[in-house]
Amino acid sequence: REAVVTTVLFVCTANICRSPYAAHALRGALSDVSGFTVRSAGVRSDWLEIVGEPACPEMPAPEGMDLLQDHSATQLTLDMVREADIIITFEAVHRAAVVDLLPRAQVKTYTANQAQRLARAVAAVHWPPAAPERSDDVLRNLNAARSWAPYEDDADVSDPHGLGIEAHLDCAREIDSMVQALASVLKP
């Protein structure tokens, strides 16, 4: 039987701060389980002419990990959206860009704070985490939670680029909280 891999895709503007940090952090959170591929991309990397650029040096490394030294900015593509099982964006406008590329991706695309809220709701009712080969169960659980989880304002995760080290540290803390919640529903 062929192993099934769940692909999680993080999407931000340029793919140099938020999405590579989140991808790196989730890889670390899932390092003790197999069956996951975690990627990142930007909706404006090509327009900003930064494809291939390294991660923003002000963005800290996720705890216990090396800085994103091997990262290079990547433009979001239709193939990436098609291949992803779960897509997490950092702003509503990023979510709209994903859905513009592939309208049926709406059911698997969440803003970061929405994903965190829904993952916490799913974990609170003690649904067992889905095995990696059952990414459809994770999606089903998160989508079901859209209808019954308490609503909160799922604000965007602010882009820290150019705003100094404190903005980057605040952003990293916000992303760490989301990654922890998401990993809790992904890990068996």
Side-chain angles (χ1 to χ4, degrees):
R1 183 174 156 195
E2 188 175 322
V4 177
V5 175
T6 297
T7 300
V8 179
L9 174 64
F10 289 101
V11 178
C12 68
T13 303
N15 190 227
I16 58 171
C17 292
R18 295 170 289 181
S19 60
Y21 179 90
H24 207 56
L26 186 61
R27 277 186 213 108
L30 299 175
S31 64
D32 58 341
V33 295
S34 61
F36 290 97
T37 298
V38 184
R39 302 179 72 189
S40 67
V43 298
R44 306 284 267 167
S45 299
D46 61 350
W47 183 81
L48 294 170
E49 298 181 354
I50 60 165
V51 170
E53 291 293 316
C56 178
E58 287 90 9
M59 202 68 193
E63 188 170 325
M65 304 184 84
D66 291 331
L67 189 58
L68 312 167
Q69 296 170 354
D70 59 348
H71 176 77
S72 61
T74 302
Q75 174 64 36
L76 180 68
T77 66
L78 179 57
D79 285 341
M80 288 177 172
V81 173
R82 279 189 187 124
E83 293 166 7
D85 297 296
I86 300 170
I87 303 170
I88 309 293
T89 69
F90 290 92
E91 297 178 22
V93 69
H94 303 145
R95 186 177 188 282
V98 168
V99 173
D100 281 349
L101 278 175
L102 186 65
R104 70 176 182 258
Q106 180 174 358
V107 298
K108 63 181 180 180
T109 306
Y110 306 84
T111 63
N113 284 320
Q114 179 187 37
Q116 175 176 301
R117 175 176 58 85
L118 297 176
R120 286 193 173 142
V122 167
V125 295
H126 307 293
W127 284 347
E133 64 270 9
R134 296 177 43 205
S135 63
D136 55 333
D137 287 349
V138 174
L139 278 174
R140 194 173 303 117
N141 291 349
L142 290 175
N143 282 325
R146 282 179 166 159
S147 67
W148 56 263
Y151 177 78
E152 295 173 19
D153 180 19
D154 295 322
D156 293 341
V157 175
S158 297
D159 188 350
H161 189 65
L163 299 178
I165 191 67
E166 283 305 315
H168 286 79
L169 292 172
D170 289 344
C171 180
R173 283 189 286 273
E174 194 170 352
I175 292 170
D176 287 339
S177 181
M178 179 271 301
V179 164
Q180 181 182 24
L182 188 57
S184 75
V185 297
L186 292 174
K187 289 176 95 166

